[in-house]
Amino acid sequence: MNYDAVVIGAGHNGLAAAVELASRGWKVAVVEAKDEAGGAVKTREVTLPGFRHDLCAMNLSMFAGSAFFNKNKDALFAHGLGFAPASDCFASVFRDGTWLGVSTDLDATAGRIAGFSERDAAAWRAMFAEFGADAPHIFGLLGSPMPSFAAAKVAWKAWRARGTAWLYETVKLLLSSPRDFLDARFENPKVKAMMAAWGLHLDFSPDVAGGALFPYLESMANQAFGMVIGQGGADTIIKAMSGLLKAKGGEIILGAPVASVETAAGAATGVRLADGRVLNAKRAVIANAHPQLVFGKLLKPEPSRAEFDGKIAKFRAGPGTMMIHLALDGLPDWAAGEALKRFAYVHLAPDLEMMSRVYAEAVDGLLPVEPALVVGQPTAIDPTRAPDGKHVLWVQVRVLPADIRGDAAGEINGTDWDAIKEIYADRVISLLERYAPGIKAKILGRSVFSPVDLERENPNLIGGDNLSGSHHLDQNFLFRPVAGYSRYKTPVKNLYICGASTWPGAGTGAGSGFMLASMLAGT
């Protein structure tokens, strides 16, 4: 079978690349090892019939704001895409029974902050006002290949519009730790904790350099635009992209693991599937996969590639993640206030000290005493995901060791995730019970995915790292995945890599797949 391009992996970045190339007249096939497209964006009944759970990704705001969506939105909606917007976006609960959250109503958000600090409420309003002018430049940079003329053009336009001082401040933002950035702008620890919790969505504890950008962008973007989840499930984007690709003449081949990338004269020529079929690719093989899988399993070692392969082998994973999916008889009764039932996300990360401690414990190989929890309440926004009157809860446990050396609490003796995952999940539920009394009695069904389970579900999530590689400064921007190869090329001619392991990193924005395809198509 002959194609212009073969894409390995039917995650959203692979599908975005395939759609863009198919729209340019390329003959494209996407091959996927699993029987279901989606990668880390899947929705499934994993507890009880009728309860639809997003296995990994839930927040689709990055997709809704992406260049890929902007170009294809009418066609995607025609193929069934559905969004469920949340105006009450995220909140944090604190040990003393108080809470703080961000809604799209600026007065409501600022009013909550003013309850803790009038000065911080004014600082929030000022930051939001500046965000309106900053956002086009920052998002323009994140939406440009790295490095590229387009990125340089964004920086030049920003300098012309905002001046040299702004450029210095932006570089400072990109390099700052969450704590340093927040200490310079706010005085109340609860305001800082509310924003800093976003750092742990990646692998940034409060004192890790480079971690300030994501808390800043998420806080301001949620204030400005709200949060978006998928109507009926996050897989709405996968279904719509798959339908659009097929309408453009592309193929999706499921249940087809790739055994090897075929090469000739130093160039990729196609892929060989595990069943022996060969798909020839005249112009490109695109691996929407972790580079360690590509260069560690799908390609034979070559002496000319030894230095590159060595660097890829050292590409670090971020800490592990656990997902706990709950079918509930009702939404949590948050002790901090009934209003929390309206929010898409509730963070259980009450202070910067706790965030620092949980990160240190996890990277030391210890099961954290008090993990940070991201509690998603999708049925508060989209009740169609559960039977009438019932709810699903999406609990992301951050951060955890991939390989267990011990338990920081001294209570769990095992070091095998398969043996202890339910025991550790009990610790998580007990923590949740502390902030939402009675939650245990509301649980109708439970499904736990340990870091090991997540890697089994999606081999790109090595060690349960849902980031497909740490986002620390030495593995981000020009260095993702390794220096000299941040523009999706590899040392093998016609072989390209996209996905979360490449710029601009993790998330549902489809940026790497779309940018790569645009580059290959000559724009």
Side-chain angles (χ1 to χ4, degrees):
M1 292 179 278
N2 299 313
Y3 301 90
D4 291 309
V6 174
V7 180
I8 303 170
H12 70 285
N13 272 296
L15 292 172
V19 168
E20 180 62 15
L21 291 175
S23 72
R24 307 294 188 94
W26 289 38
K27 184 179 180 182
V28 183
V30 180
V31 292
E32 168 59 45
K34 300 290 185 178
D35 293 328
E36 177 186 7
V41 185
K42 291 176 180 172
T43 306
R44 200 180 290 162
E45 294 181 352
V46 294
T47 55
L48 297 171
F51 291 81
R52 287 178 53 77
H53 304 267
D54 292 337
L55 288 192
C56 295
M58 170 184 150
N59 183 355
L60 300 182
S61 298
M62 291 177 70
F63 185 84
S66 70
F68 173 81
F69 170 72
N70 186 58
K71 180 175 181 179
N72 297 284
K73 58 184 175 182
D74 291 339
L76 290 167
F77 284 127
H79 282 88
L81 178 65
F83 285 150
S87 57
D88 294 307
C89 308
F90 70 93
S92 285
V93 291
F94 306 110
R95 300 186 194 282
D96 63 359
T98 59
W99 67 277
L100 187 56
V102 171
S103 303
T104 52
D105 183 334
L106 178 59
D107 289 337
T109 303
R112 294 176 191 133
I113 295 173
F116 297 101
S117 167
E118 291 282 358
R119 178 182 168 187
D120 284 356
W124 181 274
R125 289 183 182 274
M127 181 179 285
F128 182 64
E130 288 290 312
F131 176 73
D134 294 350
H137 307 300
I138 295 176
F139 286 118
L141 182 65
L142 296 176
S144 300
M146 186 67 64
S148 65
F149 176 75
K153 188 176 180 181
V154 169
W156 182 80
K157 283 186 174 180
W159 173 72
R160 288 289 302 271
R162 306 286 282 149
T164 301
W166 181 86
L167 281 180
Y168 283 138
E169 285 300 312
T170 301
V171 171
K172 189 176 178 181
L173 166 65
L174 297 177
L175 299 177
S176 292
S177 71
R179 188 190 300 272
D180 289 341
F181 174 78
L182 294 167
D183 280 349
R185 288 159 179 82
F186 300 100
E187 63 181 13
N188 189 275
K190 293 178 180 178
V191 178
K192 299 175 189 179
M194 178 187 72
M195 295 180 69
W198 282 105
L200 287 181
H201 281 251
L202 296 179
D203 60 328
F204 291 106
S205 67
D207 297 299
V208 175
L213 179 63
F214 197 58
Y216 166 72
L217 287 182
E218 282 291 342
S219 297
M220 293 296 100
N222 277 275
Q223 179 65 81
F225 310 117
M227 188 181 289
V228 173
I229 66 172
Q231 185 71 40
D235 64 347
T236 183
I237 68 172
I238 302 302
K239 293 176 180 177
M241 295 170 86
S242 299
L244 178 56
L245 175 59
K246 293 174 183 177
K248 291 181 177 294
E251 297 179 41
I252 302 176
I253 305 172
L254 300 175
V258 172
S260 64
V261 173
E262 299 292 282
T263 61
T269 60
V271 303
R272 182 178 297 275
L273 303 182
D275 62 10
R277 285 180 291 169
V278 174
L279 279 59
N280 298 311
K282 182 171 66 175
R283 304 168 77 173
V285 174
I286 298 172
N288 177 32
H290 196 292
Q292 289 176 351
L293 300 180
V294 179
F295 287 91
K297 296 184 178 181
L298 301 185
L299 282 164
K300 295 178 181 177
E302 294 286 346
S304 62
R305 223 178 51 231
E307 182 179 0
F308 176 84
D309 288 1
K311 291 179 179 179
I312 289 296
K314 295 178 181 177
F315 185 69
R316 296 190 317 279
T321 308
M322 173 181 278
M323 292 301 311
I324 301 177
H325 300 290
L326 301 177
L328 296 180
D329 197 33
L331 285 170
D333 293 312
W334 297 101
E338 187 76 8
L340 286 165
K341 290 184 177 182
R342 302 195 305 264
F343 282 79
Y345 276 174
V346 178
H347 288 130
L348 274 61
D351 52 63
L352 270 63
E353 293 73 21
M354 171 266 181
M355 295 181 217
S356 296
R357 184 169 58 251
V358 67
Y359 187 86
E361 289 170 347
V363 297
D364 280 342
L366 301 178
L367 296 168
V369 175
E370 182 187 16
L373 305 185
V374 186
V375 182
Q377 302 182 120
T379 43
I381 315 302
D382 172 23
T384 68
R385 297 185 183 206
D388 287 347
K390 308 301 181 184
H391 290 272
V392 300
L393 213 62
W394 179 98
V395 183
Q396 188 178 67
V397 185
R398 306 200 57 85
V399 285
L400 298 172
D403 298 309
I404 305 168
R405 290 197 310 109
D407 177 20
E411 298 170 350
I412 300 174
N413 295 321
T415 58
D416 175 23
W417 270 116
D418 287 337
I420 64 94
K421 71 176 184 180
E422 295 292 345
I423 301 172
Y424 194 77
D426 288 342
R427 178 179 296 177
V428 172
I429 299 301
S430 293
L431 177 60
L432 186 56
E433 177 84 16
R434 209 181 304 164
Y435 289 90
I439 190 72
K440 291 181 180 180
K442 292 189 175 190
I443 296 174
L444 304 174
R446 176 173 110 171
S447 181
V448 179
F449 288 75
S450 74
V452 172
D453 292 327
L454 292 176
E455 184 174 355
R456 289 175 182 142
E457 175 66 33
N458 184 344
N460 294 299
L461 308 183
I462 294 175
D465 167 28
N466 68 329
L467 311 173
S468 280
S470 168
H471 283 60
H472 290 182
L473 286 174
D474 65 331
Q475 291 193 170
N476 209 354
F477 300 100
L478 300 173
F479 307 105
R480 194 165 188 87
V482 296
Y485 293 94
S486 59
R487 288 171 56 86
Y488 315 115
K489 289 184 178 181
T490 74
V492 179
K493 185 180 178 181
N494 294 342
L495 175 62
Y496 304 87
I497 294 182
C498 68
S501 297
T502 65
W503 172 257
T508 57
S512 62
F514 181 65
M515 283 191 278
L516 168 58
S518 298
M519 293 164 68
L520 291 176
T523 57

